[in-house]
Amino acid sequence: MTMLKNIGSLMLIASLCSGVAYAEEKPVVGLIMKSLANEFFRDMLEGTKEHEKSRGDYVLKAVGMQNETDFQSQINAVENFITQEVDIIVVAPADSRAMIRPLKKAIEAGIVVINFDVSLDADAKKKQNLELAFVGPDNRSGAKLAGVALANKLGAGGKVVIIEGNPGADNAIERKKGFMDAIEEHDLELLASSTAHWETEEANSVFSNMLTANPDIQGVMAANDSMAIGVIKALEAAGRAKDIQVVAFDNIPAVGPMLADGRLLATVDQFGRDMAANAIEKGLAVHRGGPELSGWIKTDIKLVEASK
């Protein structure tokens, strides 16, 4: 079977048009990720393509957003996958509420749906009478690990700011809670907290303004590595890279050199390269007659600290 691979400004799709007979009746998996401008999801895509190749018993269709606030493209992707009659949808929702109605429609169409990476909102699911398990990490505990690493470096009274992810995303909410847990338990002083929507350039701008307003900042808690990169660029431009500590979340390859030379104090590895592949494994098991998933199926996290 020939696979069409096209990376465009709006989304990346590895697919064939609906209605084509797939070789050996392999189940078709629709993977919906967030922004492919984010290295975390590009790396996830590569890991998933390797998983598809190594298993050889399913067909992957992968879709990504144009940017981290392009919620509509995820909704459109669900609608398209329903029309194409895929067997399984595996989704990392950019917004924990907006995706509930289209995913419920997919389930009603007989598609196995696996929610991974970012949990759907529990209250919104209840209102829609939707039972759907979550496969993913404990974002609050992970963020707290990073926050405690920062607290240990600064000591009580350290002055910090938070760069948040998308306000409507459960993982952004949970990571802020984890940072706040560390702040409160270790007597840090929170000077400011603002979203940069997971984006590097926006984080650069947001943090630059924070630094101008609060030149006594000692530490930064960034809710993902992409935003941490923007923060570090701003610190370097201001000549403050050596006296302000930064922690983050994701452990993408791009921050490896920053951990090695100490520009990034710590990050949290959630093993993103394997995350979608693991969710697909669970979806395939359900599709082939295994038990329905329920509750929260936790995946691993690990604190990664600077070499210096």
Side-chain angles (χ1 to χ4, degrees):
M1 182 183 66
T2 300
M3 296 296 293
L4 302 177
K5 297 182 180 179
N6 176 41
I7 302 179
S9 61
L10 180 61
M11 58 177 60
L12 179 147
I13 305 177
S15 66
L16 287 178
C17 297
S18 60
V20 176
Y22 291 95
E24 302 176 4
E25 299 294 327
K26 295 178 181 178
V28 181
V29 177
L31 170 62
I32 304 175
M33 296 170 291
K34 295 195 286 181
S35 173
L36 291 170
N38 185 329
E39 185 177 353
F40 178 78
F41 289 100
R42 293 199 304 272
D43 197 41
M44 176 184 289
L45 177 62
E46 290 306 310
T48 309
K49 288 160 67 176
E50 290 173 5
H51 180 261
E52 177 197 22
K53 184 177 179 180
S54 66
R55 279 196 54 136
D57 61 352
Y58 72 92
V59 175
L60 177 68
K61 297 184 175 187
V63 179
M65 300 161 60
Q66 182 178 16
N67 57 56
E68 294 287 1
T69 57
D70 182 23
F71 308 135
Q72 187 61 46
S73 68
Q74 284 200 329
I75 295 171
N76 292 344
V78 175
E79 295 288 348
N80 289 337
F81 284 150
I82 293 171
T83 299
Q84 294 168 25
E85 298 182 345
V86 303
D87 299 288
I88 302 163
I89 292 176
V90 178
V91 57
D95 185 283
S96 294
R97 291 178 174 269
M99 294 299 290
I100 289 177
R101 286 181 182 273
L103 289 176
K104 183 179 181 182
K105 182 178 177 182
I107 292 170
E108 290 170 346
I111 298 171
V112 173
V113 175
I114 305 294
N115 170 209
F116 81 106
D117 183 39
V118 182
S119 178
L120 295 168
D121 183 83
D123 290 338
K125 284 195 295 184
K126 186 175 181 180
K127 288 179 181 178
Q128 290 296 318
N129 195 29
L130 176 64
E131 294 287 341
L132 190 60
F134 170 58
V135 180
D138 188 333
N139 284 285
R140 183 170 184 168
S141 293
K144 184 178 178 181
L145 288 175
V148 169
L150 181 60
N152 289 339
K153 182 72 172 181
L154 300 180
K159 297 178 179 181
V160 302
V161 297
I162 299 174
I163 308 295
E164 304 172 33
N166 279 344
D170 179 79
N171 61 340
I173 294 167
E174 290 300 302
R175 289 179 195 179
K176 183 177 180 181
K177 288 178 181 178
F179 287 147
M180 291 303 301
D181 290 341
I183 288 169
E184 292 167 5
E185 291 180 18
H186 292 266
D187 297 321
L188 300 179
E189 181 182 350
L190 180 64
L191 300 179
S193 184
S194 184
T195 182
H197 300 97
W198 307 119
E199 300 281 1
T200 298
E201 294 307 316
E202 185 175 352
N204 182 280
S205 176
V206 167
F207 178 71
S208 294
N209 292 334
M210 283 182 172
L211 187 57
T212 299
N214 304 279
D216 54 345
I217 291 172
Q218 296 173 286
V220 185
M221 298 173 173
N224 77 347
D225 286 344
S226 292
M227 295 190 297
I229 291 170
V231 167
I232 290 168
K233 287 180 179 178
L235 288 173
E236 291 172 340
R240 300 287 304 275
K242 292 184 178 180
D243 60 85
I244 296 178
Q245 304 294 324
V246 183
V247 298
F249 204 113
D250 279 345
N251 195 32
I252 61 175
V255 301
M258 299 175 185
L259 288 164
D261 63 22
R263 284 176 291 166
L264 184 65
L265 179 65
T267 188
V268 177
D269 197 342
Q270 58 173 332
F271 306 98
R273 191 173 183 85
D274 301 323
M275 189 181 290
N278 291 338
I280 288 170
E281 291 274 357
K282 291 175 173 57
L284 289 169
V286 173
H287 173 69
R288 288 168 175 154
E292 294 289 334
L293 304 181
S294 62
W296 181 6
I297 301 163
K298 289 189 179 183
T299 57
D300 293 337
I301 54 173
K302 177 184 177 182
L303 182 70
V304 182
E305 298 185 86
S307 302
K308 293 186 178 182

